[in-house]
Amino acid sequence: MAVHQPTHRGSGFHLPSFRRNHAVSVSGAAESAEAGTRTARAYVFASARVLMGFVFLWAFLDKTFGLGYATASGKGWIDGGSPTEGFLGHVAVGPMESTFHAWAGAAWADWLFMLGLLGIGLALTAGVALRLAALAGSVMMALMWVAEWPPAQHLSDGSASMSTNPFVDYHLMYAVMLIALAVVSAGDAFGLGRLWARLPLVRDHGWLR
């Protein structure tokens, strides 16, 4: 009688398989790397936010107290000087030249400009109300862009405008950065953005975010 070997062998002893553990390890490493990238990105935007906030706050402080930089000592707002008269009064090009001259030194223009600088600076530094700051800052930057009017090669008196680019200057770059900071919620890192977002009023009105 022939003896047949069994077609199915017993389980016996097998070396452990590391395939599943390896896949889990690779997935975990990828998630960790992605989380690290997100954290680094958040810190970069937060740093840009704080620096941008200091730009606006410093402009407010210098124009208010005449710290001797853009505003000479004794010529500050607190000393009776006008924060808008010097800039708007010397606009010499662009479609709104006469309009800016009419606004120069007006009390309402001074207050709007200074409150804008202070409000935007504080919002950026604290990381709150970034959407409002982006809107107000973009409007301010757009008006200043029109006041300098980079497309013009010559001023109203025919002299060279010294414009280096007909379209893009730092005012537009600032406006784009303000919008970007609001879009990525840059106040959540190094700021009070998360706490601000939890406030009932802000939760119910997303435009305050």
Side-chain angles (χ1 to χ4, degrees):
M1 177 182 293
V3 178
H4 298 281
Q5 296 293 335
T7 56
H8 299 284
R9 299 180 180 271
S11 58
F13 175 78
H14 297 282
L15 292 174
S17 173
F18 296 99
R19 183 177 299 173
R20 182 183 302 274
N21 291 339
H22 177 70
V24 172
S25 177
V26 170
S27 176
E31 291 179 1
S32 178
E34 184 178 354
T37 300
R38 286 198 301 266
T39 300
R41 186 185 300 123
Y43 287 159
V44 168
F45 276 112
S47 299
R49 188 201 82 235
V50 174
L51 291 174
M52 183 72 74
F54 184 72
V55 169
F56 283 88
L57 282 181
W58 179 259
F60 171 80
L61 294 172
D62 183 57
K63 293 179 183 302
T64 298
F65 301 105
L67 300 179
Y69 287 84
T71 306
S73 179
K75 297 290 183 71
W77 195 27
I78 198 172
D79 301 309
S82 170
T84 61
E85 185 173 9
F87 180 69
L88 296 181
H90 289 86
V91 172
V93 69
M96 293 184 64
E97 180 180 352
S98 59
T99 301
F100 286 136
H101 288 172
W103 291 357
W108 65 267
D110 289 343
W111 276 96
L112 276 180
F113 181 57
M114 296 300 283
L115 288 177
L117 290 177
L118 178 62
I120 296 168
L122 290 176
L124 290 172
T125 303
V128 301
L130 295 186
R131 295 180 182 179
L132 284 177
L135 175 61
S138 295
V139 170
M140 181 183 293
M141 292 299 107
L143 288 172
M144 295 178 76
W145 185 87
V146 173
E148 295 193 0
W149 198 244
Q153 293 181 318
H154 299 88
L155 303 179
S156 299
D157 60 4
S159 61
S161 68
M162 305 304 290
S163 175
T164 58
N165 189 304
F167 302 109
V168 180
D169 72 346
Y170 69 96
H171 295 108
L172 295 185
M173 297 303 296
Y174 280 1
V176 171
M177 178 57 73
L178 287 170
I179 294 171
L181 293 174
V183 168
V184 301
S185 299
D188 292 352
F190 293 148
L192 304 176
R194 295 183 187 278
L195 293 176
W196 176 260
R198 294 194 193 105
L199 295 177
L201 182 63
V202 179
R203 234 180 12 244
D204 295 339
H205 301 85
W207 56 273
L208 292 173
R209 180 70 171 82

